Amino acid sequence: MITSSPVSEAIAAVRARVAAAAEVAGRAPDDVRILFASKTVSAERAAEAVLAGAEQLGESRVQEVVAKAEVLGALPQPPRIHLIGHLQSNKVNAALRHVDCIETIDALPLAERISDRCVAVGRELDVLVQVNVSGEPSKFGVAPDDAVELALRVAALPGVRLRGLMTIGANSPDAEVVRAGYALLRELRHTIVGSGAPGTEDAAELSMGMSGDLELAIAEGATTVRVGSAVFGARPQV
Ligand SMILES: *Cc1c(COP(=O)(O)O)cnc(C)c1O
């Protein structure tokens, strides 16, 4: 069911931006999926977005995922939930109960812990390796020089399925700097998938680009853009 509301209009506008950027890049619009970043947004507004066609939501904190699970789980078509914030190891069990993909794997011990838990409960979880392409100290993510090794090790673990790479773009007004970071993520994926190593067969995902720079990310090959404020409005500073 598609309802007409400010959120549905904002979603339509973002879809149009994504389609236009894909066309400029010579790509098919449905090459690029949108993950709606609903962190800090109430469960009710997140549900409104789902009813307006948002199929996957991104959340930063496990506590918030848990708090929204009941409302979102009761929808006719519950969304896929991606964790896009840093995961503390004491939150792994709760995360596994409620998320469909963890996009923020940046160290082997965390990946091993998730793998162990998945094996114990008999499930497979999609994961992305988060890379800090800009090297900004405020950002999580494995260093680009260590990303291939980490990804190949994650790919070999049982219980988790490596789906690709994620990054948060450089915080820079210079579009060329931002783009270079996205290009680097694409090159790392090329190395990982091209390695032919076990578990890298389905690792084509590039989760990159947000409300402010999704065009740059799509130009560099993003397969998922993560959009929050363009749909839900500015967030309170946290
Ligand atoms: C909040 C968030 C986004 C969305 O950012 P906007 O600028 O609001 O579109 C994307 N990725 C991550 C990891 C986020 O935490």
Side-chain angles (χ1 to χ4, degrees), residues 28-50:
D30 55 9
D31 260 14
V32 186
R33 284 173 299 281
I34 303 170
L35 181 71
F36 293 91
S38 54
K39 60 168 190 246
T40 78
V41 170
S42 71
E44 288 69 28
R45 289 192 72 213
E48 196 188 336
V50 174

Side-chain angles (χ1 to χ4, degrees), residues 37 39 60 84 166 168 210-211 226-229 235:
K39 60 168 190 246
S60 299
I84 57 174
M166 177 273 214
I168 299 173
M210 318 202 292
S211 295
R226 306 180 307 268
V227 177
S229 53
R235 280 179 298 279

